[in-house]
């Protein structure tokens, strides 16, 4: 095994326990929120730095290979740390190969289309990493918890039946299978924060003027619906965890540990794709040699020629 493959294999202990492998038995309450994986912050930083470096190299290969793309979906309750996880995990990778999309309440133009439309146009191109901060999964969660949102979608009435959620589970799974069959690797992260930690983070937001902008009264109202959200998430994860688009239920009470799980899962996944730098066509090599000689022959002769444009 090459040393890079071995390193990726070593990350399994931070990924496997949190990947939903038996979806039919999935219970959100079985997954920890406070886990630290036997690490402290200092050890975690070493792993995070190593992951960051590996990710940088892997992204370069992904980009050069220009065949695969990676779609990373971040979901979680309010204050679960989606923004900061995205910020920290992607820190240090080349912004040219990466796009982040934050999905908000759909606009009227978006509501003129089917619910996957706005995501479809935001999908990453080959060779790139696309990050969805929230996603079409909101269609199984907030829309389910608030049926009035579904009404605004103007779906023909006779298509809205009691089967609508089962149909959406199927359609989303099929969409992700389609993406995977076309070379988009989909990884999904649910930042699993406890209700107590959310309370603390809301309090922090209220108590520090620098964090007031993050606070929204709406978030408090949604906190009141905590159990409904958790039930919706449990069902959604149960029905949309597949080998080609796995869910990771990431312990999120310690932000630093969440970053370890997420970055390890990404490193492992790209490592498995094993993107390659394009091979240079042997027949082109003599041509390279000719061009190289010609460029050398152009070397400036007089001191004046040395000045470059
Ligand atoms: P934030 O991520 O805090 O900026 O909030 C974005 C808001 O948009 C959240 O309250 C989401 O529930 C909401 N949102 C995102 N996608 C949808 C959707 N498809 N339908 C309804 N609301 C959505
Ligand atoms: Mg918010």
């Amino acid at each position: 095994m090459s040393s890079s493959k071995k390193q990726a294999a070593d990350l399994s202990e931070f990924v496997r326990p949190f990947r939903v492998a038996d979806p039919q038995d999935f219970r959100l309450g079985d997954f920890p929120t406070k886990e630290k994986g036997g690490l402290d912050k200092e050890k975690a930083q070493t792993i995070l730095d190593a992951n960051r470096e590996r990710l940088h190299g892997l992204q370069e290969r992904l980009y050069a290979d220009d065949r695969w793309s990676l779609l990373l979906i971040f979901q979680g309750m309010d204050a679960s740390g989606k923004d900061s996880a995205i910020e920290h995990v992607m820190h240090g990778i080349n912004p040219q190969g990466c796009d982040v999309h934050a999905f908000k309440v759909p606009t009227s133009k978006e509501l003129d289309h089917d619910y996957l439309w706005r995501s479809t146009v935001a999908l990453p191109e080959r060779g790139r990493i696309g990050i969805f901060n929230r996603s079409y999964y909101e269609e199984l969660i907030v829309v389910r918890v608030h049926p009035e949102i579904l009404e605004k979608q103007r779906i023909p009435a006779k298509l809205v039946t009691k089967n609508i959620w089962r149909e959406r589970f199927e359609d989303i799974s099929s969409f992700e299978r389609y993406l995977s069959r076309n070379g988009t690797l989909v990884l999904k992260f649910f930042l699993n924060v406890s209700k107590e930690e959310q309370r603390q983070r809301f309090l922090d937001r209220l108590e520090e003027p620098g964090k007031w902008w993050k606070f929204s009264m709406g978030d408090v109202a949604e906190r009141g619906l905590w159990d409904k959200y958790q039930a919706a998430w449990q069902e959604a994860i149960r029905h949309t965890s597949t080998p080609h688009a796995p869910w990771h239920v990431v312990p999120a009470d310690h932000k630093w540990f969440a970053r370890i799980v997420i970055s390890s899962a990404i490193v492992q996944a790209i490592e498995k794709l094993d993107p390659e730098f394009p091979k240079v066509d042997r027949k082109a090599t003599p041509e390279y040699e000719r061009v190289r000689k010609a460029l050398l022959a152009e070397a400036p002769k007089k001191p004046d020629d040395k000045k470059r444009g």
Side-chain angles (χ1 to χ4, degrees), residues 5 26 53 74 103 130 133-134 142 163 236 282 288 294-295:
K5 285 238 170 77
F26 173 72
E53 209 177 301
F74 288 84
F103 290 94
N133 183 349
R134 301 189 189 265
V142 71
N163 297 326
R282 276 177 175 250
Y288 280 16
L295 287 171

Side-chain angles (χ1 to χ4, degrees), residues 72-142:
L72 307 175
I73 293 184
F74 288 84
Q75 289 281 350
M77 302 290 282
D78 291 312
S80 57
K82 297 184 286 297
D83 300 68
S84 76
I86 292 169
E87 181 187 336
H88 280 84
V89 170
M90 302 330 275
H91 178 85
I93 75 165
N94 184 347
Q96 286 208 82
C98 179
D99 306 282
V100 185
H101 293 270
F103 290 94
K104 310 282 180 184
V105 175
T107 63
S108 60
K109 180 167 174 62
E110 287 166 350
L111 286 174
D112 279 338
H113 292 269
D114 62 278
Y115 70 82
L116 283 176
W117 177 77
R118 65 174 182 166
S119 302
T120 312
V121 293
L123 288 169
E125 294 170 8
R126 294 192 192 281
R128 299 174 73 93
I129 299 177
I131 296 173
F132 284 3
N133 183 349
R134 301 189 189 265
S135 66
Y136 45 83
Y137 277 95
E138 295 290 330
E139 295 290 337
L140 302 177
I141 308 300
V142 71

Side-chain angles (χ1 to χ4, degrees), residues 115-116 164-177:
Y115 70 82
L116 283 176
I164 188 152
W165 308 115
R166 186 178 50 75
E167 289 166 1
R168 287 189 172 195
F169 297 148
E170 284 171 13
D171 293 339
I172 285 176
S173 296
S174 304
F175 176 63
E176 291 174 345
R177 188 182 52 209

